[in-house]
Amino acid sequence: MKIKNRPTSVTIQKGQQFPLTIKRLGINGEGVGYFKKQVVFVPGALPGEEVVVQAENIQPNYAEAVIKKIRKKSPHRVKPPCIYYDRCGGCQLQHLQYEQQLAAKRDIVIQALERHTNLEVDTLDIRPTIGMDDPWHYRNKSQFQLGNEKQQVIAGLYGANSHKLVPIHSCMVQHSLTDKINQTVKQVLEDFHIPIYHERKRTGIVRTIVVRAGVQTNHVQVVLITKAEELPRKELIAAEIMKRAPEVKSVMQNINGSKTSLIFGDKTVLLKGEEVIQETLGDLSFELSARAFFQLNPVQTVKLYDEVKKAAGLTGSEKIVDAYCGVGTIGLWLAKDAAEIRGMDVIEESIRDAKKNAEKHGIKNATYVTGKAETWMPKWAKEGWRPDVVVVDPPRTGCDRTFLKTIKKVKPKRFVYVSCNPSTLAKDIQFLSSLYKVEYIQPVDMFPHTAHVECCALLGIGIR
């Protein structure tokens, strides 16, 4: 039954306080409730809680509010162990018991499907979220912004919805090695009196420290993101970093002079050591260059890629396309159980790494090319080569519409979609729904204590 005369815009006033019952978690980990039929988002609130909130941000179709008082607390609420939790913005769910985080992430996937598809979501096979045994210190890469405070160099993250830099000395979701190296690099920059970039004034040189650790190899790569190529005493700085932290095998400089929120620019140069570091997943080892994509949680990556292998349903005779292939991790994970792998990526460095990784493992049935899948797949189809399975692991923006149209034309029997954004996954599923059926969706918790959820979705054409 339709509700008549339902308001079309929010009637809540800024600064207004009112009671609210939280119904669920939103896609950003915030509590969601309704006041006079208007949706209200409340960071830090949990499903089932009765709270008094104050409206802070009023938009045409919703309001954002802050908690003033919790009248009825969720039995799943816990005390966040991190000292930066209420300021940093890097995590959103440390105040929620971990088992409930897993349930909430499955619900976030369901919400996305309900919002962006016309499928009968309650009939779909959406499986319980695969979690971690120890959901801490899992991230193998950090990207800490730099600033100055009381004539000292600080490194950390911007607070939620702000440009106030929160200095972080030890992060509970970062691998301890990245924490250690961040502090070392920060101190070296301070000791060498290197000017730190000021975002508003656009002065200074070094903007960001990127640290990637090979969790299994104990190898570390440091990338200094600078405004311009000029960096005083860069060779000495690199040598000092490696002297103070012997785990560092590679020091790179990336130049990003643009006024942008993107971390990396287009040019990367070697300052000292190797251009790549080594990392191991299962029985595979990988060479990782500065800009190459590699999953941030190696423990969960093994679980995720095993789910991809299950979804691909390999018998040894399949031809596979690994689209958005990065350094070839997924394709190489599948290669020994398939007839042939062909992968592509627009980042040339990634393709170079993928070729090296395949050669190193003696994998001869893998071919990697630079470019887009929507360019290569029609070309291969004209030559008579069509894949049985396409695996895709796109960025948060989802798959390019041209790529999805290509999938509809080439018609692989199985389409295995690895997604880091339930909303774009749902939109892409809807676009393909005229041809493909959702066989199942398996959520995987790659980022405990955050609102992010990864999924392995199997779409098929008559595979049952």
Side-chain angles (χ1 to χ4, degrees):
M1 178 176 142
K2 291 184 179 179
I3 299 172
K4 294 182 179 179
N5 301 320
R6 181 166 180 165
T8 56
S9 62
V10 173
T11 56
I12 299 166
Q13 303 298 311
K14 184 174 181 178
Q16 181 180 348
Q17 292 192 13
F18 49 89
L20 198 68
T21 299
I22 305 302
K23 300 296 185 182
R24 65 180 193 274
L25 287 184
I27 59 171
N28 298 311
E30 71 278 70
V32 180
Y34 297 87
F35 182 70
K36 295 182 178 179
K37 300 174 183 175
Q38 303 294 347
V39 65
V40 182
F41 299 111
V42 188
L46 295 176
E49 292 190 329
E50 295 175 6
V51 295
V52 176
V53 301
Q54 179 172 303
E56 295 289 321
N57 180 23
I58 311 298
Q59 297 295 325
N61 297 313
Y62 66 91
E64 295 175 341
V66 296
I67 298 173
K68 301 303 287 186
K69 182 180 180 181
I70 301 178
R71 287 179 172 172
K72 180 185 174 184
K73 187 182 293 187
S74 167
H76 306 298
R77 179 178 283 276
V78 295
K79 183 179 179 181
C82 175
I83 61 173
Y84 307 106
Y85 182 60
D86 60 347
R87 295 179 291 138
C88 155
C91 297
Q92 300 83 43
L93 296 177
Q94 280 192 24
H95 61 293
L96 178 60
Q97 190 179 61
Y98 186 57
E99 287 302 316
Q100 289 303 123
Q101 290 184 31
L102 300 180
K105 292 187 179 192
R106 179 179 181 271
D107 187 58
I108 287 172
V109 175
I110 292 171
Q111 288 181 53
L113 291 164
E114 289 175 340
R115 182 174 184 180
H116 299 294
T117 77
N118 56 19
L119 303 176
E120 293 182 15
V121 178
D122 57 351
T123 67
L124 298 180
D125 182 4
I126 304 171
R127 300 176 176 180
T129 309
I130 297 173
M132 291 191 77
D133 295 331
D134 179 12
W136 300 101
H137 302 292
Y138 56 82
R139 286 183 65 104
N140 61 7
K141 182 181 179 183
S142 64
Q143 299 178 152
F144 278 11
Q145 310 301 320
L146 295 177
N148 285 302
E149 190 175 85
K150 297 178 182 177
Q151 297 183 323
Q152 288 187 317
V153 177
I154 58 172
L157 299 174
Y158 289 118
N161 302 315
S162 84
H163 269 286
K164 181 172 175 56
L165 190 60
V166 179
I168 296 174
H169 298 284
S170 178
C171 174
M172 294 192 67
V173 297
Q174 282 291 155
H175 190 277
S176 58
L177 198 50
T178 67
D179 273 339
K180 173 189 171 185
I181 304 303
N182 266 310
Q183 297 308 312
T184 299
V185 175
K186 184 189 73 170
Q187 191 60 52
V188 169
L189 294 175
E190 188 171 301
D191 292 346
F192 277 72
H193 305 290
I194 301 301
I196 302 304
Y197 181 73
H198 192 288
E199 187 179 33
R200 185 172 53 81
K201 297 178 181 177
R202 302 205 70 196
T203 57
I205 298 174
V206 185
R207 304 171 67 138
T208 309
I209 302 170
V210 178
V211 177
R212 174 144 59 185
V215 173
Q216 299 300 322
T217 62
N218 226 36
H219 292 178
V220 177
Q221 181 178 71
V222 172
V223 185
L224 301 176
I225 312 290
T226 60
K227 182 181 74 172
E229 193 159 346
E230 181 186 351
L231 175 61
R233 297 180 289 173
K234 59 175 69 176
E235 290 82 7
L236 286 174
I237 290 171
E240 188 64 22
I241 290 170
M242 295 180 79
K243 178 183 174 183
R244 297 188 193 184
E247 303 95 334
V248 176
K249 307 299 180 187
S250 169
V251 182
M252 310 289 289
Q253 178 190 3
N254 176 269
I255 297 93
N256 184 357
S258 304
K259 191 175 182 181
T260 175
S261 59
L262 296 175
I263 299 293
F264 281 92
D266 292 331
K267 185 174 182 180
T268 307
V269 295
L270 174 67
L271 297 185
K272 190 170 179 62
E274 304 295 327
E275 288 200 358
V276 297
I277 61 168
Q278 307 294 323
E279 178 57 310
T280 302
L281 279 181
D283 58 358
L284 297 175
S285 61
F286 297 91
E287 291 190 345
L288 305 177
S289 57
R291 292 180 62 212
F293 171 78
F294 193 75
Q295 292 282 2
L296 297 174
N297 184 336
V299 172
Q300 291 298 89
T301 298
V302 170
K303 296 179 184 178
L304 176 66
Y305 289 177
D306 281 344
E307 290 300 320
V308 172
K309 184 178 285 190
K310 287 180 196 173
L314 303 180
T315 64
S317 63
E318 289 80 11
K319 293 176 285 189
I320 299 177
V321 163
D322 179 10
Y324 302 84
C325 71
V327 299
T329 47
I330 292 180
L332 298 179
W333 200 263
L334 305 178
K336 66 180 181 182
D337 297 309
E340 186 180 0
I341 302 282
R342 294 189 182 185
M344 68 285 289
D345 200 289
V346 294
I347 298 176
E348 194 171 340
E349 292 166 86
S350 294
I351 292 300
R352 283 201 301 266
D353 289 346
K355 288 178 178 178
K356 288 179 186 175
N357 290 329
E359 184 179 355
K360 180 170 59 178
H361 291 97
I363 295 174
K364 301 186 184 302
N365 62 340
T367 302
Y368 291 100
V369 292
T370 303
K372 295 182 177 181
E374 50 265 38
T375 302
W376 282 100
M377 286 172 64
K379 179 178 182 295
W380 291 334
K382 284 181 181 179
E383 295 169 357
W385 191 93
R386 290 177 179 267
D388 304 294
V389 182
V390 171
V391 179
V392 64
D393 185 2
R396 288 190 60 77
T397 50
C399 293
D400 186 280
R401 186 53 56 93
T402 309
F403 169 73
L404 294 178
K405 289 178 180 177
T406 303
I407 292 295
K408 281 185 170 183
K409 289 177 182 176
V410 176
K411 296 184 178 68
K413 190 176 181 182
R414 289 174 182 260
F415 183 52
V416 182
Y417 192 140
V418 180
S419 166
C420 60
N421 185 339
S423 294
T424 52
L425 170 65
K427 291 174 185 176
D428 292 348
I429 283 174
Q430 177 61 31
F431 184 79
L432 293 171
S433 62
S434 61
L435 183 62
Y436 282 90
K437 179 181 178 181
V438 177
E439 300 295 327
Y440 67 83
I441 298 176
Q442 175 62 70
V444 179
D445 189 19
M446 299 292 286
F447 302 102
H449 311 295
T450 78
H452 296 295
V453 55
E454 200 102 358
C455 292
C456 176
L458 172 60
L459 281 64
I461 302 177
I463 65 175
R464 288 187 177 182

